[in-house]
Amino acid sequence: MSETFEMKPEYKDKPIRSYVIRGGRMTDGQKNAFDHAWEIYGLSLFGGMFDQQQVFGRQDAPLVVEVGFGMGDSLLEMAQAQPEIDFVGIEVHPPGVGRLINNAAKASITNLRVYMADAVDVLEDCFADESISRFQLYFPDPWHKKKHNKRRIVNPEFMQLIRRKLALNGVSHMATDWEPYADHMMEVMSTAEGFTNQQEEYCFSPCPDYRPLTKFEKRGERLGHGVWDLLFSRNT
Ligand SMILES: C[S@@+](CC[C@H](N)C(=O)[O-])C[C@H]1O[C@@H](n2cnc3c(N)ncnc32)[C@H](O)[C@@H]1O
């Protein structure tokens, strides 16, 4: 599939990205969603700064931003379960975006919007500093091979971008099912300036009630596979 998501022109030549554009055909429902639901749920990288009052009609609600929502089922479930919170998802995979906005429209969800663009661009260009209450990153691509580790989205530079965008005492919540990546995340977060672990140092957190378990995760649980959650608060 060609690069149909929004990308900054100068970013096209950047060699290291945290994703590959996967092929994968869109279902008719996902394709149609771009005709009928994108105008409700879609936000543009080139649309200027995100304005919560303008987008959601309120600015006192907590703002949660999730990067890499995949097919979007758990993000939709969270938005449905917590109407008092505003959710913004960022994803580059068009079928996943199509599925999420299609299902959001069917369920008449009003507290959710999406960007179909690179998260680094969106966070840098569209979100004011200190504007996000919680950052969510669930099961990011682990980039298992050592030579690919540099593609991991969790790295010191990215986490300082997140720190800037989080409000004071705002929360970074990540989860992974790949132990070496969990250890990597823990190392990055524990040595990052401006964050405090909500548990003891170097300890993982229990999964909070608001994060729904994915089908894949439930299967993994039955098979005895681990999942690691990390919750850190921005302290400075
Ligand atoms: C392994 S999938 C996990 C999806 C989902 N969170 C889940 O738990 O099923 C990682 C997702 O992150 C997306 N992604 C990776 N880097 C991204 C970036 N820089 N900006 C936006 N999305 C990104 C990929 O397209 C992919 O859909």
Side-chain angles (χ1 to χ4, degrees):
M1 176 186 282
S2 61
E3 291 176 343
T4 51
F5 61 95
E6 290 186 302
M7 189 180 258
K8 283 187 4 182
E10 75 269 24
Y11 201 59
K12 285 190 171 146
D13 300 324
K14 255 197 171 174
I16 301 175
R17 295 192 195 139
S18 57
Y19 51 88
V20 282
I21 297 305
R22 287 173 276 159
R25 279 211 313 263
M26 279 202 250
T27 63
D28 288 343
Q30 289 161 4
K31 269 189 232 149
N32 292 341
F34 284 96
D35 294 330
H36 74 263
W38 180 257
E39 61 182 330
I40 308 169
Y41 294 103
L43 297 172
S44 170
L45 169 64
F46 304 105
M49 293 303 275
F50 171 80
D51 179 339
Q52 192 173 1
Q53 180 67 47
Q54 196 200 337
V55 171
F56 291 111
R58 57 185 182 180
Q59 56 192 17
D60 48 347
L63 179 65
V64 171
V65 173
E66 179 164 326
V67 166
F69 56 75
M71 298 312 282
D73 295 356
S74 79
L75 180 54
L76 181 71
E77 204 178 318
M78 278 185 275
Q80 264 173 317
Q82 295 166 282
E84 70 284 4
I85 295 180
D86 291 334
F87 290 85
V88 175
I90 311 174
E91 173 59 60
V92 293
H93 185 51
V97 174
R99 178 181 168 89
L100 176 59
I101 62 176
N102 194 20
N103 289 337
K106 280 187 199 157
S108 305
I109 297 291
T110 57
N111 60 331
L112 174 70
R113 296 292 186 278
V114 297
Y115 285 93
M116 192 163 69
D118 187 290
V120 173
D121 290 342
V122 174
L123 288 161
E124 275 175 354
D125 291 4
C126 305
F127 283 89
D129 287 355
E130 310 212 320
S131 62
I132 297 174
S133 313
R134 186 168 73 228
F135 162 69
Q136 300 184 164
L137 180 72
Y138 301 143
F139 306 96
D141 301 286
W143 294 109
H144 304 95
K145 290 185 185 161
K146 198 157 183 65
K147 66 175 180 186
H148 290 149
N149 284 179
K150 57 182 179 293
R151 282 173 167 271
R152 288 176 170 171
I153 195 164
V154 178
N155 62 57
E157 193 188 346
F158 181 71
M159 292 319 303
Q160 287 308 312
L161 171 62
I162 298 303
R163 176 190 173 198
R164 280 207 312 281
K165 301 300 162 183
L166 278 175
L168 194 60
N169 300 319
V171 173
S172 161
H173 181 193
M174 307 193 256
T176 180
D177 58 351
W178 178 244
E179 194 168 8
Y181 201 10
D183 292 339
H184 167 81
M185 288 173 171
M186 182 58 86
E187 189 58 34
V188 169
M189 292 309 292
S190 300
T191 53
E193 207 174 307
F195 286 104
T196 308
N197 194 338
Q198 292 194 354
Q199 302 292 314
E200 296 292 304
E201 260 189 69
Y202 281 88
C203 287
F204 294 96
S205 291
C207 175
D209 291 343
Y210 61 76
R211 183 173 77 71
L213 295 195
T214 60
K215 260 194 227 158
F216 161 82
E217 214 178 336
K218 284 180 198 152
R219 182 175 162 273
E221 236 179 23
R222 283 199 304 275
L223 296 170
H225 298 167
V227 170
W228 293 268
D229 284 76
L230 294 89
L231 281 141
F232 281 71
S233 309
R234 193 201 130 195
N235 58 21
T236 57

